[in-house]
Amino acid sequence: MIDRMFGKITLSIIKPDAVQKEYVIPILCKIIHAGFHIAALKMTELSKKSAKKFYAEHKNKLFFESLIRFMSSGPIVSVILEKENAVKDFRILIGETNPVYAKKGTIRNLYASSLEKNAIHGSDNNQNALKECLFYFSNREIFLKENFC
Ligand code: CMP
């Protein structure tokens, strides 16, 4: 069902550091003010096994074990966001992966504390966006704006 939303959705994760610091609502407010529709949202926890599956593309990186430990250390909030050019516009809104380089006013500039504890995730391309959305949500849990009355 969401396959035809290629280019119009992205997957975001509010990471354990930001959830723990009570940044969920301020971050969601910024996202909505930037024109994104929340099509799906859940607070959940990643097991080490699920985190390894989600971050499989990084499995040979030096930071992999630490990333898995961090992402399974506490609750996360996963969100599907709908907007024209969702992937690109969302990556502009969140800023550079390393918050040191994130532009002023971006989510990572405001809420991240390090390269690992960088507050939020955004899909890096449209193909991965679809894949990542279906990692966290079933079709029945996704409520696209175009389907609203
Ligand atoms: P994100 O792009 O959301 O998903 C992969 C994560 O790996 C990335 O955010 C960073 O939090 C983390 N990451 C990327 N590069 C490094 C690195 N060199 N050292 C530690 N963590 C990293």
Side-chain angles (χ1 to χ4, degrees), residues 29-126:
C29 284
K30 254 192 103 53
I31 291 171
I32 289 165
H33 284 141
F36 290 86
H37 162 70
I38 294 178
L41 181 148
K42 70 169 69 153
M43 189 178 230
T44 182
E45 210 165 22
L46 282 175
S47 63
K48 286 211 164 56
K49 191 176 167 195
S50 299
K52 281 181 183 170
K53 196 170 162 202
F54 185 76
Y55 286 108
E57 68 181 282
H58 297 300
K59 70 172 185 287
N60 295 323
K61 309 262 175 66
L62 285 175
F63 60 83
F64 183 69
E65 287 304 325
S66 178
L67 174 65
I68 298 310
R69 225 177 301 121
F70 166 58
M71 287 305 295
S72 57
S73 68
I76 59 167
V77 175
S78 47
V79 192
I80 297 181
L81 298 166
E82 179 183 357
K83 184 182 184 294
E84 289 296 330
N85 300 313
V87 167
K88 186 165 153 271
D89 287 359
F90 192 65
R91 286 178 74 82
I92 292 170
L93 180 66
I94 65 180
E96 288 286 324
T97 306
N98 186 339
V100 168
Y101 304 115
K103 281 195 183 135
K104 201 159 181 266
T106 59
I107 292 174
R108 283 173 173 152
N109 166 254
L110 293 168
Y111 301 112
S113 49
S114 70
L115 176 53
E116 181 176 78
K117 295 181 173 59
N118 65 353
I120 194 156
H121 167 83
S123 307
D124 62 354
N125 63 60
N126 289 322

Side-chain angles (χ1 to χ4, degrees), residues 124-135:
D124 62 354
N125 63 60
N126 289 322
Q127 200 61 52
N128 280 345
L130 285 185
K131 209 170 86 187
E132 292 180 357
C133 288
L134 291 172
F135 183 91

Side-chain angles (χ1 to χ4, degrees), residues 12-32:
S12 177
I13 305 169
I14 303 178
K15 299 187 181 184
D17 57 321
V19 174
Q20 199 229 326
K21 290 175 179 165
E22 305 288 5
Y23 291 153
V24 173
I25 300 299
I27 288 174
L28 289 176
C29 284
K30 254 192 103 53
I31 291 171
I32 289 165

